[in-house]
Amino acid sequence: GENVEQHPSTLSVQEGDSAVIKCTYSDSASNYFPWYKQELGKRPQLIIDIRSNVGEKKDQRIAVTLNKTAKHFSLHITETQPEDSAVYFCAASGADKLIFGTGTRLQVFP
Amino acid sequence: NAGVTQTPKFQVLKTGQSMTLQCAQDMNHNSMYWYRQDPGMGLRLIYYSASEGTTDKGEVPNGYNVSRLNKREFSLRLESAAPSQTSVYFCASSELGGGRARFGGVSGELFFGEGSRLTVL
């Protein structure tokens, strides 16, 4: 079945710097790769997603890139702000279910 | 519009006790899921129901059973709770339907409930 690996597990950046989180997946048939943000004590919420027919997608300060050949995808956050502090999860669709990575705790220091 | 509602929010059990976590969604979604979240382990899929009348095992199904009662409701049962089942449980739903490329077609967004914190002593 699908296996998703996520790195790093923790990431600390200064406000205004960029943050990059990387994920790899195992199932070459996976075709959907979302990213979820979970603030402390809250439920995970979708922030951006990408489908396998697209190499890059942007939404304001966040962007996701996908390399199907290498089976990896990344989340890029530019001009980080303290409210970006949260746990971020990548995921990949294996058949009819979504398999998540282990999460990255991002801390943005003022 | 409540979205996805889970009950109870908190529960403490003794080893060997049984309990059922309830989940209901009011978005007319086809698919429903149960995940557990443990520190450093991310969100792991326990069971899912791709459509009403079907259920399938996820990554960590041992010790759990599920029932897709109707299109709205999907319950998770612990028959004999163990300390290893101490976790935060999230129910989620999506409008996806059948087919291999389902996540690539209609919206693949998962809508999560608020979570249920379960402690097994």
Side-chain angles (χ1 to χ4, degrees):
Chain A
E2 178 66 275
N3 183 52
V4 179
E5 296 190 356
Q6 182 172 349
H7 301 281
S9 56
T10 60
L11 180 59
S12 297
V13 300
Q14 285 293 128
E15 182 177 359
D17 286 350
S18 295
V20 180
I21 303 170
K22 299 182 179 181
C23 290
T24 60
Y25 62 98
S26 61
D27 187 352
S28 57
S30 290
N31 61 358
Y32 175 70
F33 308 92
W35 287 86
Y36 283 76
K37 176 183 180 182
Q38 185 180 29
E39 296 177 352
L40 190 62
K42 301 286 182 65
R43 71 191 84 187
Q45 291 190 296
L46 179 71
I47 54 171
I48 194 168
D49 57 16
I50 191 168
R51 286 168 170 77
S52 58
N53 58 346
V54 176
E56 183 176 2
K57 183 177 179 180
K58 287 183 179 179
D59 183 4
Q60 298 183 336
R61 294 187 297 108
I62 60 174
V64 58
T65 58
L66 172 64
N67 183 326
K68 282 195 66 180
T69 303
K71 289 192 282 188
H72 67 69
F73 56 113
S74 301
L75 177 71
H76 304 253
I77 306 174
T78 58
E79 300 173 22
T80 53
Q81 300 168 4
E83 53 263 38
D84 293 330
S85 296
V87 178
Y88 292 81
F89 293 98
C90 63
S93 68
D96 49 4
K97 55 187 179 291
L98 207 54
I99 302 300
F100 285 85
T102 50
T104 296
R105 181 173 299 279
L106 174 65
Q107 289 184 297
V108 181
F109 293 98
Chain B
N1 225 0
V4 179
T5 304
Q6 294 180 230
T7 56
K9 288 187 170 50
F10 300 94
Q11 184 73 49
V12 178
L13 291 176
K14 294 181 179 178
T15 298
Q17 288 185 317
S18 62
M19 77 157 297
T20 300
L21 296 173
Q22 307 285 356
C23 177
Q25 51 91 10
D26 61 4
M27 297 173 281
N28 200 35
H29 283 170
N30 291 309
S31 301
M32 298 185 73
Y33 312 81
W34 277 104
Y35 288 89
R36 60 177 288 175
Q37 184 173 28
D38 304 292
M41 303 293 285
L43 292 156
R44 291 184 292 169
L45 182 64
I46 305 170
Y47 270 94
Y48 66 104
S49 172
S51 60
E52 186 179 357
T54 69
T55 61
D56 286 284
K57 295 178 180 179
E59 301 168 275
V60 288
N62 291 346
Y64 305 94
N65 284 302
V66 290
S67 295
R68 183 75 182 266
L69 303 170
N70 47 56
K71 192 171 186 180
R72 290 186 63 249
E73 298 173 287
F74 188 41
S75 63
L76 178 72
R77 183 161 179 83
L78 287 69
E79 290 291 352
S80 179
S84 61
Q85 294 178 304
T86 293
S87 188
V88 178
Y89 292 84
F90 284 98
C91 177
S93 71
S94 76
E95 68 175 281
L96 302 174
R100 173 87 177 169
R102 61 191 74 186
F103 274 100
V106 298
S107 171
E109 182 173 2
L110 292 189
F111 292 83
F112 285 87
E114 291 184 305
S116 299
R117 185 175 294 276
L118 175 64
T119 301
V120 183
L121 303 176

